[in-house]
Amino acid sequence: MAETVLELDDLTVRFRLRRGDLTAVDGVSFSIARGETFGLVGESGSGKSVTARAIMRLIPDPPGEIQRGRILFEGNNVLERSDAEMRALRGRHIAMVFQEPMSALNPVFTVCEQISDALRTNLGVTKKEARERVIELLALVGIPSPQQRVDSYVHEFSGGMRQRVMLAMALSCNPGFLIADEPTTALDVTIQATILELITSMINRLGMSLLFITHNLGVVAHSCDTIGVMYASHMVERGKTRDIFANPQHPYTVGLLNSIPRLDTQSKYLTPIQGSVCSMMDPPAGCKFHPRCTHAMDICRQKSPEFREVAPGHFAACHLHNRG
Ligand code: SF4
């Protein structure tokens, strides 16, 4: 059995806002093994990105606060590490690719300067060695003419090329673990497929583990071993990708699957999930999905369902599974 690299245990993140408290992540637990690709899926506001930022210890406090839980990376709780230890961990051992490269890359430095900076800080290489490594990395992620482009500024690249630069930066220090937070959302559909393919091929080639965050279940179908589905700050279903697609156990997952265009169906129409995501400032009692669920029962409006194993290695939080 592969060694566990990352383990989240009952992670709960709260934000204290002027209008009141908001629990963005509530009791989320999952683990990722070495070499495993894990897709975290859910609509905007479900808590996916907050979970990723908590792993990197990038939740601003205040207003954010990790209320309870543990985040074990290679057996050590990152919540107990000092700021200096976290700086050493980020980039060198865990790296992150963000949704919008323009907000993560610095417009006043060249690509070479930005990636070299991470290399020199984390690996202690010389300026010349760093430049050579940056050119290698740009070639690795498919930037044409890397010797010429290495001295370009970010605004001189297209959206897809910027995302490749972000990926080169994330891979620069050979981290064992990559978090990709909606890395293809801001791109055209054709470029999305290329970047997705690039990320998965890099992961396989370099033997890394991946936490891939997306709102699109279709995106993770071919690229992830395991899927976790989040809704309104809770993990509502988790299992192997093939099991989630073949036999979804939570009505929300079924709704997400019905929203994906498919070639193997006669229907010309997609079936959207009715209603919209609840306000996290004032979430409904019981199961948070009940106002949108076509199977809702009385108990769903009163009591939160437990997250339980419904088949070997397949978990779901739904009262339908308590009926025997
Ligand atoms: Fe629907 Fe009830 Fe299951 Fe929630 S617990 S998903 S409301 S059936």
Side-chain angles (χ1 to χ4, degrees):
M1 199 176 184
E3 172 202 359
T4 298
V5 180
L6 179 79
E7 185 178 353
L8 267 64
D9 175 23
D10 195 26
L11 179 70
T12 301
V13 184
R14 182 177 69 162
F15 288 88
R16 285 152 294 170
L17 306 174
R18 253 186 241 145
R19 289 178 293 150
D21 287 357
L22 180 155
T23 302
V25 177
D26 199 346
V28 166
S29 302
F30 62 88
S31 61
I32 301 178
R34 197 165 296 286
E36 183 181 2
T37 51
F38 188 101
L40 196 56
V41 183
E43 286 165 284
S44 297
S46 58
K48 313 178 300 291
S49 295
V50 175
T51 302
R53 284 172 183 273
I55 295 167
M56 297 290 278
R57 278 261 306 276
L58 292 175
I59 301 284
D61 181 2
E65 175 198 27
I66 297 189
Q67 210 179 1
R68 57 170 203 272
R70 296 184 309 159
I71 300 170
L72 301 175
F73 181 72
E74 294 181 337
N76 296 310
N77 191 353
V78 303
L79 303 179
E80 291 168 357
R81 291 197 174 202
S82 66
D83 289 348
E85 287 172 328
M86 279 314 295
R87 277 195 295 277
L89 193 72
R90 290 187 207 112
R92 181 74 186 88
H93 299 279
I94 312 180
M96 190 158 170
V97 177
F98 295 90
Q99 180 175 342
E100 183 37 79
M102 273 315 259
S103 57
L105 295 168
N106 194 326
V108 301
F109 294 108
T110 65
V111 163
C112 185
E113 287 164 336
Q114 293 188 62
I115 304 180
S116 294
D117 194 38
L119 282 166
R120 298 188 70 192
T121 308
N122 290 313
L123 303 183
V125 296
T126 64
K127 201 171 170 183
K128 185 167 176 286
E129 287 166 339
R131 183 180 174 84
E132 282 164 9
R133 174 78 178 133
V134 176
I135 293 171
E136 261 175 46
L137 283 161
L138 295 183
L140 187 72
V141 299
I143 304 256
S145 312
Q147 279 91 348
Q148 280 85 56
R149 302 308 304 269
V150 71
D151 294 314
S152 302
Y153 291 88
V154 181
H155 70 268
E156 298 177 81
F157 288 87
S158 66
M161 287 294 159
R162 278 180 211 142
Q163 203 51 286
R164 286 176 195 260
V165 171
M166 271 293 299
L167 187 58
M169 188 183 251
L171 299 176
S172 62
C173 301
N174 299 322
F177 195 94
L178 182 70
I179 300 176
D181 185 3
E182 305 259 15
T184 58
T185 304
L187 304 174
D188 294 339
V189 176
T190 47
I191 308 295
Q192 280 185 12
T194 313
I195 294 293
L196 192 63
E197 214 174 283
L198 179 64
I199 291 176
T200 44
S201 75
M202 290 290 119
I203 292 294
N204 293 334
R205 201 152 135 192
L206 304 174
M208 300 163 77
S209 309
L210 172 71
L211 172 59
F212 192 95
I213 294 173
T214 177
H215 60 271
N216 186 345
L217 199 46
V219 164
V220 292
H222 301 291
S223 51
C224 290
D225 304 314
T226 312
I227 291 176
V229 180
M230 285 188 74
Y231 184 79
S233 79
H234 289 82
M235 180 78 80
V236 295
E237 182 160 1
R238 193 181 78 219
K240 290 285 166 206
T241 304
R242 60 173 182 274
D243 296 335
I244 298 263
F245 275 81
N247 195 14
Q249 296 292 322
H250 194 281
Y252 178 58
T253 314
V254 174
L256 288 179
L257 286 169
N258 289 339
S259 313
I260 302 174
R262 297 173 65 136
L263 292 174
D264 60 342
T265 168
Q266 297 293 314
S267 172
K268 287 191 283 185
Y269 304 103
L270 297 176
T271 313
I273 303 172
Q274 62 178 5
S276 51
V277 184
C278 61
S279 159
M280 292 313 295
M281 293 301 295
D282 185 21
C287 171
K288 305 271 180 292
F289 189 59
H290 85 246
R292 305 176 74 185
C293 182
T294 49
H295 302 280
M297 305 166 281
D298 285 345
I299 190 172
C300 304
R301 297 177 188 89
Q302 293 149 16
K303 194 169 171 243
S304 291
E306 278 176 35
F307 194 64
R308 57 172 62 200
E309 193 167 25
V310 293
H314 194 161
F315 297 78
C318 177
H319 288 305
L320 289 174
H321 298 288
N322 295 350
R323 297 196 303 179

